[in-house]
Amino acid sequence: MKACIAGIGSYAPARVMTNADLERMVATSDEWIRERTGIRERRIAAAGEACSDLAVQAGKRALTAAGLAATDLDMILVATCTGDYPLPATACLVQHQLGATKAAACDLSAACCGFVYALSVADAYVRTGMRHVLVIGSEVMSAITDWTDRNTCVLFGDGAGAVVVSAHDGERGILSTHLRSDGALCELIMVPGGGSRTPPSEKVISERLQYIKMKGNETFKVAVRTLEEIARSTLAANHLRLEDIDLYVPHQANIRILKAVMERLGLPIEKVMLNVDRYGNTSAASIPIALDEAVREGRIKNGSLVMLGAFGAGLTWASAVIRW
Ligand code: UT7
């Protein structure tokens, strides 16, 4: 028995924030943002719109695409670093909103790799007896973004993407997943305040420690190296050549990172799904949003061989190969 993607869906908040909007907030320019990141605009959640609200919309669309009811679900996994509350898990709020009365629910924290990590968990559960697992990557990055810090505020966006992972007897399915981490690099991307090490306080607020801090340049170099390495080891583990892959769907963080990876691998741009220009970096939501768009654009069809590649805070990096 394999675990296959039975349905996919995504949701992006209505509000579009352009680079021109950011020019009015911090000392930046549309030209700098486009040249250094490839981002033109990003979606921003409305006031009061939280992680679970986005996740529910994406989850409903994935269930519809799979032709399933919420009551068919055995489990809901929400990959996020911007959950509605520190406690309880956002997945429980989603479970209730969807009416998934038979489903277990928990969150998975692996930052931008969260979706691929959660996909691997769903894969393992489905291959050992569960029938249907809903995997959602959902982020309201705008809530942990310091809108006075030009180094980070131009990069991130909000959104959600979801897949239903179902038991399937046949060729289609998740062929392998590969998960890595290196906590020695934990300070490259971090929200330093608000957790148990530095609980919320006036000091946390005044020093803006509740917001994401990033050493962009160092992260950039590690991202290129790890994405290349994991793509090569994933292909080798599956006895595949790069030419066998129909579409590479990477985490959408920065067009320059992805172009460097494509160059090192010798991967033509036609085989890479890119939508960072319209969403920015949506962390755990970025791969499922890109996958959903690729399916809707006809770039992924039944039988396509798809490779995912992600990296993010932790540091973590991850990949998967799927026969769609
Ligand atoms: O999901 C994983 C999360 N992280 C990432 O993927 C991020 C990886 N890193 C990056 O994408 C890039 O490092 C950035 C886009 C963040 C920055 O690009 P860079 O080419 O590495 O620039 P830099 O950090 O070396 O900064 C170059 C200059 C600096 O000015 P000085 O010191 O040379 O005078 C910055 O202060 O650009 C300046 N700068 C800006 N200028 C205009 C930084 N942010 C901005 C900005 N607008 N928004």
Side-chain angles (χ1 to χ4, degrees):
M1 199 56 92
K2 279 211 197 73
C4 79
I5 309 292
I8 184 161
S10 65
Y11 171 81
R15 182 179 163 207
V16 175
M17 183 187 280
T18 63
N19 292 345
D21 295 328
L22 284 159
E23 284 177 351
R24 289 188 282 275
M25 296 157 68
V26 288
T28 191
S29 66
D30 172 50
E31 191 190 5
W32 191 96
I33 301 170
R34 275 190 291 106
E35 277 180 8
R36 298 292 182 114
T37 72
I39 302 166
R40 284 191 290 117
E41 59 188 42
R42 67 287 292 144
R43 301 298 186 92
I44 301 293
E49 196 176 23
C51 180
S52 66
D53 301 320
L54 276 52
V56 166
Q57 296 305 323
K60 279 184 181 167
R61 290 173 187 180
L63 282 167
T64 302
L68 292 171
T71 48
D72 294 321
L73 293 172
D74 298 309
M75 183 177 231
I76 298 171
L77 295 167
V78 175
T80 188
C81 60
T82 55
D84 292 29
Y85 309 109
L87 182 83
T90 297
C92 293
L93 311 174
V94 174
Q95 177 273 334
H96 176 62
Q97 287 297 318
L98 290 177
T101 46
K102 290 187 292 188
C106 68
D107 290 355
L108 195 147
S109 170
C112 303
C113 288
F115 177 78
V116 182
Y117 266 66
L119 193 68
S120 80
V121 175
D123 178 41
Y125 270 115
V126 166
R127 282 190 288 106
T128 49
M130 279 194 186
R131 299 287 305 164
H132 305 292
V133 179
L134 180 62
V135 177
I136 308 175
S138 181
E139 300 281 16
V140 181
M141 296 303 286
S142 58
I144 60 165
T145 296
D146 184 345
W147 293 103
T148 66
D149 176 12
R150 71 173 184 175
N151 291 298
T152 52
C153 76
V154 301
L155 303 175
F156 298 103
D158 302 337
V163 294
V164 178
V165 179
S166 297
H168 177 76
D169 199 4
E171 286 291 300
R172 297 177 56 214
I174 298 167
L175 303 188
S176 73
T177 57
H178 306 262
L179 312 177
R180 301 290 306 278
S181 70
D182 184 359
L185 299 174
C186 67
E187 286 181 2
L188 290 189
I189 312 171
M190 182 178 252
V191 175
S196 61
R197 171 122 2 238
T198 315
S201 65
E202 280 177 22
K203 183 173 179 291
V204 165
I205 303 291
S206 67
E207 292 180 8
R208 308 182 80 75
L209 302 179
Q210 75 276 34
Y211 296 124
I212 197 161
K213 316 280 179 214
M214 188 174 67
K215 293 180 180 152
N217 210 269
E218 289 167 59
T219 306
F220 189 109
K221 291 175 201 151
V222 184
V224 173
R225 177 170 56 76
T226 53
L227 281 175
E228 182 197 0
E229 266 171 26
I230 206 157
R232 288 193 191 283
S233 57
T234 299
L235 291 169
N238 287 284
H239 308 291
L240 290 168
R241 294 164 308 154
L242 199 59
E243 304 82 83
D244 298 322
I245 300 296
D246 293 306
L247 194 68
Y248 177 53
V249 183
H251 169 47
Q252 310 284 314
N254 182 322
I255 191 73
R256 283 164 50 226
I257 293 176
L258 299 181
K259 282 192 172 157
V261 173
M262 284 180 235
E263 197 174 307
R264 283 171 175 228
L265 289 172
L267 188 62
I269 198 162
E270 305 78 55
K271 284 201 169 189
V272 184
M273 180 63 199
L274 297 170
N275 66 5
V276 68
D277 57 325
R278 284 175 292 115
Y279 294 97
N281 179 347
T282 58
S283 184
S286 106
I287 287 182
I289 292 174
L291 274 174
D292 186 38
E293 288 201 350
V295 169
R296 282 190 281 120
E297 288 168 11
R299 295 183 71 186
I300 298 178
K301 306 180 190 71
N302 280 352
S304 295
L305 197 58
V306 179
M307 182 163 71
L308 313 182
F311 70 94
L315 287 189
T316 51
W317 60 107
S319 70
V321 180
I322 305 166
R323 176 70 69 188
W324 204 266

